[in-house]
């Protein structure tokens, strides 16, 4: 099938060391980056002043801001920040989600050398998650806090840890806070362009909080160099980004590196347009995403696998939306867990029907600490789950075990200098050669041909041993089980450390189970439902007949009645489960899972 998108072919250099360590790097040269994010804004405000850069829903249409208008407002807000004495040591905390004013504030802060710190809006909106917000505030010590709406975020803005901190809101309401409109007035006594001249590639542009899925959240120092280099790495791999300005309609949160650095900066670096989708791939909000797509479609589509699954269903039901969604599309890009193959195949089929050709469908691998992309599958892939090869300028160090499953470490100009105010964790994050220790694992698609790329194989810390000494690769097993149990399970935890058998603790898709007529009865934190348990037993038994060896045999399951709790740390702001927290908080249910005669437990 013909592909529509140009890409840089894989060309990997492999170095095998005497100790078994493998180094991989691209043979292609990295394009020289600009030094600061403001350089992009100046460029496009000059070359395409009337092109839309940022847009958000306003009534029946969009509030659109051009490159010229954004630059004017960035300079005005930047001068207001300088007038308040803000600088490199006085971060600005953002507690609300994506929005045009949020984007202008972030760019203004970066323009004059003030770090911006976006955190998950759930921390402010969910009363029980205020502990997470307090933790971030105490770590960062902000001089200013921004929220889009003073009333909506009022409870969080009243926290005692924000006493004496200037509060800025786009919609102040009746509260005594600074209106964002006041920042837009600027201050003639300061010179934002003079401040911009002092900003360098090593200046910290933002501090991003890690998700805390495996440990306490840390503040990743994200420099202008990291962000600017990473966009050249992406455009080197995907040259169609430079060939025409990209357009996205995107919901991914800016407090996370995927939405806030990868996608936001991709539009800014390449003169593109970012239409902010105020929907989300969750029940009750996805209809808004569909509505937004009916108003505007893009040339690139970014999402998590769950979002693409919901989008596929919506496109199947609406031929006109399907046609408009695919007709100008260059790229389908997923991040997070592997995209289910049936969803992958569905998008291939649809786009081929509409265009007679298929855009590049791909993914990459990286972390908050790598800005984020460190590896990318820029060539067309035969299936989902492949994360490719090192991007230009990055060297990957692989430490293989006896099964050629490799621990991965990385070095390059897009890697963080360290964690905010935490020299001990910074030191522990790098090995003796200066490679960042990621904690992730990879496997070659073809060990003899590194150009075929690699597949993500979970986090080293998630693996465990059974009593027999057999290693269980929990992350890969989890993906397989989610596929097997779809759509009954929304998420699950793989168990069995130091036990005789592998089990799963299932968070159910209650809406789907209700629709299918399963009569769910709560039993001490678990659901007891004979019909549901019979279906799970059938699927586990069917799978057991297809596999060999105890390292992948799931022989017991329990369905949890209570959803994961963000306030208790069971779920991160990105929606990822913190397995350690779940197993600790639900230790009694874990013990029940290994009791054969418990009425809520399925065994095979």
């Amino acid at each position: 099938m013909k592909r529509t998108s140009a890409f840089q072919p894989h060309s990997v250099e492999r170095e095998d060391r005497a100790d078994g360590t493998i180094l991989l790097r691209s043979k292609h040269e990295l394009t020289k980056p600009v030094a600061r994010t403001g350089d992009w804004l100046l460029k496009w405000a000059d070359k395409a002043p009337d092109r839309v850069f940022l847009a958000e829903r306003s009534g029946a249409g969009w509030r659109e801001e051009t490159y010229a208008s954004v630059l004017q407002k960035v300079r005005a807000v930047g001068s207001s920040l300088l007038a308040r004495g803000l600088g490199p040591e006085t971060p600005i905390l953002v507690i609300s989600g994506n929005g045009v004013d949020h984007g202008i504030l972030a760019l203004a802060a970066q323009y004059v050398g003030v770090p911006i710190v976006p955190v998950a809006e759930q921390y402010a909106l969910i009363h029980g998650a205020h502990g997470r917000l307090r933790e971030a505030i105490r770590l960062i010590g902000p001089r200013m806090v921004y929220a889009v709406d003073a009333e909506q975020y009022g409870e969080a803005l009243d926290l005692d840890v924000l006493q004496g901190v200037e509060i800025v809101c786009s919609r102040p309401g009746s509260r005594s806070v600074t209106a964002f409109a006041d920042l837009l007035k600027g201050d003639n006594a300061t010179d934002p362009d003079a401040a911009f001249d002092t900003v360098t590639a090593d200046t910290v542009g933002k501090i991003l909080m890690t998700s805390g899925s495996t440990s306490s959240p840390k503040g990743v120092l994200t420099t202008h160099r990291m962000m600017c280099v990473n966009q050249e790495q992406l455009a080197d791999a995907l040259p169609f980004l430079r060939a025409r300005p990209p357009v996205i309609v995107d919901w991914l949160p800016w407090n996370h590196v995927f939405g806030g650095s990868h996608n936001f900066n991709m539009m800014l670096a390449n003169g593109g347009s970012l239409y902010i989708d105020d929907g989300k791939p969750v029940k009750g909000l996805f209809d808004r995403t569909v509505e937004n797509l009916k108003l505007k479609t893009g040339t690139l589509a970014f999402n998590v696998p769950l979002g693409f699954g919901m989008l596929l269903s919506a496109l199947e039901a609406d031929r006109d939306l399907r046609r408009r969604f695919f007709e100008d599309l260059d790229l389908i890009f997923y991040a997070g867990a592997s995209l289910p193959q049936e969803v992958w195949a569905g998008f291939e089929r649809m786009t081929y029907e509409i265009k007679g050709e298929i855009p590049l469908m791909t993914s990459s691998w990286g972390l908050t600490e790598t800005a984020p992309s460190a590896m990318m599958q820029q060539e067309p892939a035969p299936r989902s789950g492949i994360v490719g090869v090192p991007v230009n300028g990055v060297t990957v160090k692989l430490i293989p075990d006896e099964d050629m499953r490799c621990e991965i470490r990385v070095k390059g100009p897009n890697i963080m200098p360290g964690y905010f105010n935490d020299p001990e964790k910074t030191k522990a994050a790098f090995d003796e050669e200066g490679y960042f220790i990621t904690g992730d694992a990879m496997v070659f698609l073809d060990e003899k041909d590194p150009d075929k790329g690699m597949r993500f194989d979970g986090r080293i810390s998630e693996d465990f041993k059974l009593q027999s000494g057999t290693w269980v690769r929990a992350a890969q097993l989890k993906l397989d089980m989610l596929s097997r149990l779809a759509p009954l399970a929304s998420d699950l935890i793989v168990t069995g450390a130091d036990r005789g058998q592998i089990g799963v603790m299932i968070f159910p898709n209650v809406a789907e189970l209700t629709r299918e007529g399963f009569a769910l009865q709560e039993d001490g934190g678990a659901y007891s439902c004979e019909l549901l348990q019979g279906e799970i037993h059938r699927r586990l038994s069917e799978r057991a007949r297809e596999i060999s060896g105890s390292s992948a045999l799931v022989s017991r399951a329990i369905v949890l009645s209570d959803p994961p709790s963000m306030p208790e740390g069971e779920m991160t702001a990105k929606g990822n489960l913190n397995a350690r927290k779940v197993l600790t908080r639900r230790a009694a249910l874990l013990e029940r899972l290994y009791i054969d005669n418990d009425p809520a437990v399925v065994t095979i």
Side-chain angles (χ1 to χ4, degrees), residues 18-19 62 82 99 188 200 209 221-222 225 230 239 293 330 350 358 398 421 457 509 530 543 571:
D19 64 357
W62 300 91
L82 294 173
N188 293 331
T200 71
M209 307 301 293
L221 296 171
T222 305
R225 173 181 284 107
N230 206 222
L293 287 172
D330 287 325
M350 281 187 185
I358 298 175
L398 301 169
N421 282 352
D457 201 46
N509 184 339
E530 185 174 341
R543 180 179 180 277
M571 184 176 67

Side-chain angles (χ1 to χ4, degrees), residues 57-62 288 291 295:
R57 283 299 302 273
S58 178
W62 300 91
R288 181 67 166 183
E291 178 185 326
L295 293 174

Side-chain angles (χ1 to χ4, degrees), residues 556-570:
R556 52 186 61 238
I558 190 169
V559 181
L560 307 179
S561 59
D562 296 328
S565 168
M566 180 178 290
E568 295 294 334
E570 292 185 320

Side-chain angles (χ1 to χ4, degrees), residues 101-342:
D101 289 349
H102 176 173
I104 289 169
L105 178 62
L107 289 172
Q110 291 172 21
Y111 195 84
V112 298
V114 180
I116 195 85
V117 190
V119 296
E121 63 178 343
Q122 297 95 317
Y123 293 169
L125 294 175
I126 300 174
H127 176 81
H130 284 175
R132 291 296 186 95
L133 181 57
R134 288 176 180 273
E135 189 177 48
I137 292 168
R138 290 192 178 108
L139 174 65
I140 298 300
R143 281 274 299 275
M144 177 183 285
V145 171
Y146 170 80
V148 65
D149 189 294
E151 300 297 337
Q152 182 183 11
Y153 291 84
E155 186 180 355
L157 296 175
D158 287 339
L159 291 176
D160 57 350
V161 288
L162 291 179
Q163 289 294 317
V165 177
E166 183 178 11
I167 307 298
V168 177
C169 298
S170 294
R171 296 190 291 273
S174 61
R175 284 181 166 257
S176 180
V177 300
T178 300
F180 187 74
D182 289 342
L183 297 188
L184 288 170
K185 294 175 183 176
D187 190 301
N188 293 331
T190 63
D191 186 349
D193 291 323
F196 178 64
D197 289 340
T198 69
V199 175
T200 71
D202 292 318
T203 299
V204 174
K206 64 170 75 173
I207 301 171
L208 289 174
M209 307 301 293
T210 60
S211 65
S213 58
T214 57
S215 63
S216 298
K218 301 179 287 289
V220 176
L221 296 171
T222 305
T223 66
H224 285 259
R225 173 181 284 107
M226 291 168 62
M227 293 186 283
C228 295
V229 163
N230 206 222
Q231 289 305 319
E232 295 302 339
Q233 291 168 325
L234 290 166
D236 281 350
L238 307 172
F240 57 82
L241 293 174
R242 296 181 179 129
R244 67 166 175 164
V247 179
I248 59 174
V249 182
D250 193 57
W251 69 271
L252 289 154
W254 293 349
N255 66 281
H256 182 238
V257 71
F258 183 20
S261 291
H262 186 286
N263 294 357
F264 185 97
N265 287 339
M266 184 178 285
M267 298 306 103
L268 178 57
N270 297 287
S273 302
L274 197 170
Y275 284 76
I276 298 168
D277 172 18
D278 55 352
K280 286 184 176 64
V282 296
K283 185 179 180 181
L285 290 176
F286 188 70
D287 288 346
R288 181 67 166 183
T289 290
V290 174
E291 178 185 326
N292 291 335
L293 287 172
K294 288 181 178 180
L295 293 174
K296 186 71 179 181
T297 54
T299 63
L300 317 174
F302 297 105
N303 221 317
V304 295
L306 175 63
F308 274 127
M310 297 176 75
L311 179 59
L312 182 67
S313 298
L315 293 174
E316 286 174 337
D318 189 328
R319 178 169 178 78
D320 181 63
L321 178 60
R322 184 163 70 243
R323 176 188 59 78
R324 293 194 302 108
F325 180 83
F326 286 115
E327 64 184 359
D328 209 26
L329 200 63
D330 287 325
L331 177 74
I332 297 174
F333 184 105
Y334 67 92
S338 292
L339 189 69
Q341 190 59 35
E342 61 269 22

Side-chain angles (χ1 to χ4, degrees), residues 52-81:
V52 173
F53 170 31
L54 293 175
E56 65 186 3
R57 283 299 302 273
S58 178
W62 300 91
R63 169 195 171 185
E64 296 177 326
E65 295 284 349
T66 66
Y67 276 94
S69 66
V70 169
L71 177 59
Q72 181 271 321
K73 291 176 179 178
V74 161
R75 283 180 166 139
V77 173
S79 69
S80 294
L81 300 180

Side-chain angles (χ1 to χ4, degrees), residues 521-595:
Q521 297 178 331
E522 202 275 337
D523 178 10
Y527 280 129
S528 180
C529 172
E530 185 174 341
L531 184 62
L532 174 60
Q533 289 169 300
E535 178 62 18
I536 292 173
H537 183 276
R538 182 187 69 78
R539 297 190 190 194
L540 293 185
S541 299
E542 183 179 86
R543 180 179 180 277
R545 291 191 292 270
E546 299 173 5
I547 65 173
S548 61
S550 60
S551 65
L553 177 62
V554 176
S555 57
R556 52 186 61 238
I558 190 169
V559 181
L560 307 179
S561 59
D562 296 328
S565 168
M566 180 178 290
E568 295 294 334
E570 292 185 320
M571 184 176 67
T572 72
K574 292 190 296 183
N576 297 331
L577 288 180
N578 183 325
R580 177 176 56 83
K581 288 282 189 180
V582 172
L583 295 176
T584 299
R585 186 167 179 260
R586 307 185 194 226
L589 287 166
L590 176 62
E591 293 305 316
R592 285 182 65 181
L593 177 58
Y594 287 89
I595 298 175

